[in-house]
Amino acid sequence: MAAAGITLLVILLVGLAAPLVLHWLVRAEREHDADEITDFAAAERAARRDEE
C-alpha cells in the first residue's frame, strides 16, 4: 500500500514539474534567439538557417 502512495506521489510531482521545466526551456531559448535577432533581415537569415 505504501508503494502505491509513493508511486502516486512521484507521478504527481513529475506531472507538475514537467510543464514548468518545459516552460523554462522554451523561455530560455526565446531569450537566446532575441539576443541574436535585431532586425527583419537577421530574423529572415535565422529562419532560413533553421530550415537547413
Side-chain angles (χ1 to χ4, degrees):
M1 195 68 172
I6 292 173
T7 303
L8 181 62
L9 181 62
V10 168
I11 291 172
L12 182 65
L13 289 175
V14 170
L16 291 174
L20 295 174
V21 170
L22 182 61
H23 175 74
W24 176 76
L25 290 171
V26 168
R27 188 172 197 150
E29 182 177 353
R30 183 174 42 179
E31 288 173 0
H32 173 71
D33 288 345
D35 291 342
E36 295 178 359
I37 299 173
T38 57
D39 60 356
F40 182 79
E44 187 174 5
R45 283 193 304 273
R48 291 184 189 277
R49 187 174 58 235
D50 288 342
E51 290 178 354
E52 296 175 352

